[in-house]
Amino acid sequence: MKLKLFFFLFFITSSCVVGQVKYEKEYRIEASAVPEKAMVLLKTLALTKKIKWYKEIGHHRKSIEAKSKQFRKKISIEFTPSGNLEDIEVTVPWKTIPKKTRDSISTYFKTTYSKFKIQKVQLQFKTVADYKAFTNKESIDTYTMSYEIVLEAKTNTSYKNYEYGFSEKGTIQSKTEIIPSNTDHLEF
């Protein structure tokens, strides 16, 4: 009985230490499958390039995502299944992050991992007004944004992928391990 209790408690506590895990499956959908509320909001952004629609299914959530390009940058607008805005993400080069913030984030990664490689950096906006202020090149004091960074890092003996959320000042907000999807074929 004590042995069963020990294994049960060990399992519960070890699963709490691991943290969040991210697994997502993404597939294309037609614009006709997108909620009207999302379409109306998307028109306010005045995107000029072709919009591709995706449905994302994760462990505990579903979402709809519009992907396009604006100002020669990739843009991703994520909605709830009912069409409410979750966030707007703009992919940018690492070097475009202000130096002080970049140094703060780099210091965190250098103290956490022996090796790491940044794979993607995105500016994240929670409202359309914040995104428009950014695209209109207004003062950074007039809008709120955060950073989403995807990286590959060496942990003890293996490499893992993580998605981090950082504040505008470079303070860590979230960390999620990305679980690669299983594939039965080779991907090139």
Side-chain angles (χ1 to χ4, degrees), residues 52-113:
K52 295 179 182 178
W53 289 97
Y54 295 87
K55 186 167 190 169
E56 236 178 52
I57 299 173
H59 277 304
H60 303 291
R61 62 185 222 97
K62 294 179 181 178
S63 64
I64 294 171
E65 192 171 8
K67 293 184 180 184
S68 186
K69 283 191 173 185
Q70 191 172 34
F71 309 115
R72 293 195 271 176
K73 291 180 173 38
K74 291 180 182 178
I75 180 171
S76 168
I77 304 99
E78 200 163 347
F79 301 93
T80 64
S82 60
N84 295 320
L85 178 68
E86 285 185 0
D87 62 26
I88 301 170
E89 298 173 338
V90 180
T91 303
V92 296
W94 169 247
K95 291 185 179 188
T96 61
I97 295 177
K99 184 172 178 10
K100 190 174 181 181
T101 304
R102 199 172 59 230
D103 289 346
S104 174
I105 294 170
S106 288
T107 300
Y108 173 81
F109 290 149
K110 287 175 184 173
T111 58
T112 306
Y113 303 110

Side-chain angles (χ1 to χ4, degrees), residues 142-160:
T142 63
Y143 58 89
T144 304
M145 69 172 192
S146 55
Y147 299 100
E148 185 176 282
I149 299 174
V150 176
L151 76 143
E152 181 180 42
K154 185 175 183 181
T155 59
N156 297 335
T157 59
S158 65
Y159 284 89
K160 293 184 179 182

Side-chain angles (χ1 to χ4, degrees), residues 22 24 89-94 97 105 109 113 116-124 147-153 160-166 174-180:
K22 180 178 180 178
E24 289 180 342
E89 298 173 338
V90 180
T91 303
V92 296
W94 169 247
I97 295 177
I105 294 170
F109 290 149
Y113 303 110
F116 68 92
K117 180 179 180 185
I118 294 175
Q119 297 176 329
K120 182 167 56 169
V121 176
Q122 292 181 313
L123 305 179
Q124 192 174 56
Y147 299 100
E148 185 176 282
I149 299 174
V150 176
L151 76 143
E152 181 180 42
K160 293 184 179 182
N161 291 323
Y162 294 97
E163 180 181 281
Y164 278 91
F166 287 94
S174 64
K175 172 187 173 185
T176 307
E177 182 182 346
I178 300 171
I179 304 297

